Amino acid sequence: MGRRRRRRTSNTLGLLIMAAAAATVLVPRAVHAAAAEAHILITVAVCLLTAVVVAVILRAWYRFRARAREDARTLAALRQNALTPREFEEALAALCRRDGCTEVRVVGGAGDLGADVIARAPDGRRIVLQAKRYRNGRAVGSQDVQRFGGTAHTIHRADIAAVVTTAQTFTAQAQDYADRAGIRLVAAKALAAWDTRTGPPPWD
């Protein structure tokens, strides 16, 4: 009985030694394989994330370039006085974007309550523009300015309200009302100066 016990003990010790030796060899290899696999997964994830970021940037850049080209065509038509009323609104929005405004929106149409373009000036003030696409020989009258004045500040919460027109001038009554109501008037000459950067935008 004693010899059998010694043999079993000896066999057990031998197995333990063999298992320890195997573990010494296999565990580092397993850890190394797991680390290599994790490194590959991390590399793949980083590559995918980079591809997504690049795709988003490229899409934004292409949209920006497309908008810039469209704005350039619109402003060229503005200089030739060859715009429809809607295109004139788009031209004013293009000028706002060019000169650093953000949140630029063309909102003219049915139910616009006098606002055609709404934007945020570079200093954060809220701009509300009414566009009047008239023939050069026509003056913008007091009624047009008064209708805009009734909504520009109270409804649209304008910090800067302006009527911008292709007409050469505003009537005296329109100018008098605008002075009292805090509305800026931009006729054809001032509009051309804004466009060519020889004059200030309506918010300056």
Side-chain angles (χ1 to χ4, degrees), residues 99-121:
D99 291 345
C101 291
T102 57
E103 303 175 27
V104 181
R105 293 180 292 136
V106 177
V107 297
D112 61 21
L113 298 177
D116 292 318
V117 178
I118 295 176
R120 188 73 61 181

Side-chain angles (χ1 to χ4, degrees), residues 45-174:
V46 169
C47 290
L48 289 175
L49 180 60
T50 301
V52 170
V53 171
V54 170
V56 170
I57 292 173
L58 286 175
R59 183 179 179 184
W61 183 79
Y62 282 124
R63 291 178 64 182
F64 173 79
R65 292 292 299 168
R67 168 64 75 180
R69 287 193 295 269
E70 183 62 29
D71 285 352
R73 285 192 292 267
T74 301
L75 293 179
L78 172 65
R79 292 164 197 138
Q80 298 171 7
N81 200 17
L83 296 173
T84 65
R86 178 65 179 186
E87 289 170 339
F88 182 50
E89 296 169 6
E90 295 286 354
L92 297 184
L95 286 172
C96 289
R97 279 190 293 269
R98 184 200 70 182
D99 291 345
C101 291
T102 57
E103 303 175 27
V104 181
R105 293 180 292 136
V106 177
V107 297
D112 61 21
L113 298 177
D116 292 318
V117 178
I118 295 176
R120 188 73 61 181
D123 61 6
R125 290 175 296 169
R126 184 176 175 86
I127 304 166
V128 179
L129 304 179
Q130 185 179 63
K132 289 297 181 184
R133 170 69 176 84
Y134 288 163
R135 294 185 300 273
N136 287 339
R138 181 177 174 181
V140 180
S142 177
Q143 288 187 349
D144 289 328
V145 180
Q146 286 184 39
R147 281 193 291 268
F148 179 57
T151 61
H153 296 290
T154 57
I155 302 298
H156 300 297
R157 305 185 307 279
D159 297 312
I160 303 163
V163 179
V164 186
T165 182
T166 55
Q168 291 297 319
T169 188
F170 293 83
T171 64
Q173 294 84 354

